[in-house]
Amino acid sequence: TVAGPGVVPAVFTLGGSPALCTGAVAGGTYTAGTPLTPANTLTIQVNVTTPGTYVIGAASTNGFVFSGTGIFTTTGLQNVTLTGVGTPAAAGISIVTVTNVTSTCTYAITVQGATPAVFTLSGAPSNCTGAVLSGTYTVGSSTSATHTVKLNVDVTTAGSYNITTNSLNGL
């Protein structure tokens, strides 16, 4: 980081460092062999202790990266959106390692294959039937890899898939 007169580098840590990035959300669709667009983003959480300029980078294990720069004007927990570039090489889970000067965290992004699966959720179009939740969900507590939802689906064409939900109460 290079600072000019009157410009001070921010001091901050990545949410979840040194493990899984807390509060991270991937935007856009990730498909093997398809270049990323401006819709492909990664929003992460940071805890700013000293306002100033920042540079954050994130590299995947699969041919694409994210980056973001800017200025933090206040302290405390904040969200930062990084923009992705590159082309995912293969379908599957891609681990993205987010870094700044003093901390790192990781996030997993699912890259779809070129042929998406065709399926319906069991119970669609109303309530999902047979869904099983794992983990204890507590107000004010972060979730982890132990917090999962298993869904029943009726597959008519095998292929890659990505199932997401809208945000409800921060989940």
Side-chain angles (χ1 to χ4, degrees):
T1 303
V2 178
V7 179
V8 177
V11 176
F12 63 98
T13 55
L14 300 167
S17 179
L20 298 175
C21 301
T22 55
V25 177
T29 301
Y30 298 80
T31 304
T34 302
L36 301 187
T37 70
N40 294 108
T41 60
L42 179 61
T43 300
I44 59 167
Q45 190 176 68
V46 299
N47 187 10
V48 178
T49 53
T50 303
T53 61
Y54 68 86
V55 175
I56 302 173
S60 77
T61 55
N62 196 13
F64 58 97
V65 297
F66 297 89
S67 64
T69 62
I71 300 173
F72 294 123
T73 58
T74 61
T75 60
L77 290 176
Q78 300 175 45
N79 290 326
V80 174
T81 300
L82 310 176
T83 303
V85 296
T87 302
I93 302 295
S94 294
I95 302 301
V96 176
T97 302
V98 183
T99 59
N100 79 346
V101 175
T102 60
S103 60
T104 64
C105 64
T106 59
Y107 184 74
I109 292 179
T110 301
V111 176
Q112 301 176 27
T115 305
V118 177
F119 63 93
T120 56
L121 297 171
S122 296
S126 56
N127 294 331
C128 294
T129 57
V132 177
L133 283 95
S134 296
T136 302
Y137 296 82
T138 306
V139 173
S141 296
S142 297
T143 57
S144 69
T146 62
H147 296 89
T148 62
V149 177
K150 290 185 180 180
L151 300 171
N152 291 324
V153 297
D154 300 314
V155 179
T156 54
T157 303
S160 63
Y161 66 91
N162 184 19
I163 299 173
T164 60
T165 66
N166 57 340
S167 177
L168 179 62
N169 290 331
L171 296 174

